[in-house]
Amino acid sequence: MNCSTTTKVVQLLPLFNCLIQPCRGVGKIGFLNLWAGRRRDFSAVRVTKMAWSLENSDGNVETQKATVSPATEDYAQEAIEAIRTGKVIAVPTDTLYGFACDACSAEAVNRIYEIKGRKHTSPLAICVGDVHDIQSYAVTDHLPNGLLDCLLPGPVTLVLRRDESSILEKSLNPGLESIGVRVPDCNFIRVIARGSRSALALTSANLSGQPSSIDIKDFENLWEHCASVYDGGILPAGRAGSTVVDLTKLGKYKILRPGSAKEETVAILERHSLLEDGTGD
């Protein structure tokens, strides 16, 4: 097979499974939008690159191989195994690229903080595979019937009261009675969450305080710290991230971050008779 034929075959491969799923929740992203936003050629063959690490105390610089693979179901099992063994991976979501690990592993959670240079006082959200999984980690019985299914999957982070019986690692966001929960409209990360049989700790793939990533090249300097990097293309949702809404109070909502889907989120909340909480508490 010559180079021209190989290129044609590669272009036909389903590289963007995580964005082709049927729309259900808030502000979904379609395959055609992503394809239009993608400007560089991408091969379905795994790529191994050399990433420079920081200098050691003796002045030597080490290199470490970073594995980059397409974010397709063919590589989901590999990602699941990495999560189960306490590793950190980089994955696309329906908004930004993120670092993910087992939320029930104190060592893995601490590793994410180290990679990002983030203070432990800044909380991490969790990601679960399906809406019905949320009740295993957070209190949802005060919410109107059908609300969660209208909001999720989608680019929304729901802040809920942490369930006292939750299996989450106690070192995850210590001292906080609430937890941010995501169910992204992205099949790849949801398959990983389901397969890991745990919640994923999830945060944006960037150094703390730096711009968020919509392309794996945006955080190339951090690849070396991940077990694997999964490429889902250039994400078309922009750098606003998910809309963060506090639903800890009965009958109330509070937008904590506008994000990429504020208007759609507020419309759904108010259709379910929730009122905006303006107390400032």
Side-chain angles (χ1 to χ4, degrees), residues 222-241:
L222 301 177
W223 290 2
E224 61 180 321
H225 302 297
C226 302
S228 291
V229 175
Y230 295 96
D231 192 350
I234 298 175
L235 306 182
R239 300 182 192 273

Side-chain angles (χ1 to χ4, degrees), residues 6-150:
T6 302
T7 300
K8 291 180 181 178
V9 172
V10 168
Q11 289 174 341
L12 293 174
L13 290 174
L15 301 183
F16 307 110
N17 287 359
C18 73
L19 298 168
I20 307 177
Q21 299 302 306
C23 296
R24 291 187 57 205
V26 175
K28 306 309 190 271
I29 301 170
F31 172 73
L32 293 179
N33 289 337
L34 177 59
W35 182 257
R38 180 126 179 117
R39 299 302 182 192
R40 67 173 186 270
D41 292 335
F42 182 73
S43 172
V45 179
R46 176 192 307 250
V47 179
T48 301
K49 299 190 177 182
M50 301 301 293
W52 291 100
S53 65
L54 298 176
E55 287 192 6
N56 294 332
S57 57
D58 59 6
N60 294 326
V61 177
E62 297 178 350
T63 58
Q64 180 174 320
K65 289 184 178 180
T67 302
V68 180
S69 303
T72 63
E73 290 189 16
D74 289 341
Y75 293 94
Q77 188 58 43
E78 169 195 279
I80 291 168
E81 291 305 317
I83 293 293
R84 287 179 176 175
T85 55
K87 303 290 178 38
V88 174
I89 61 175
V91 292
T93 71
D94 54 354
T95 53
L96 306 167
Y97 276 90
F99 292 133
C101 73
D102 183 354
C104 296
S105 168
E107 182 178 352
V109 168
N110 188 61
R111 181 65 175 149
I112 280 187
Y113 278 102
E114 291 176 350
I115 294 172
K116 286 180 65 73
R118 182 173 178 151
K119 295 180 180 179
H120 282 71
T121 52
S122 298
L124 298 180
I126 63 170
C127 166
V128 295
D130 295 286
V131 173
H132 62 75
D133 295 324
I134 297 175
Q135 62 188 353
S136 297
Y137 304 97
V139 177
T140 62
D141 55 9
H142 65 297
L143 299 175
N145 290 334
L147 175 62
L148 294 179
D149 288 314
C150 286

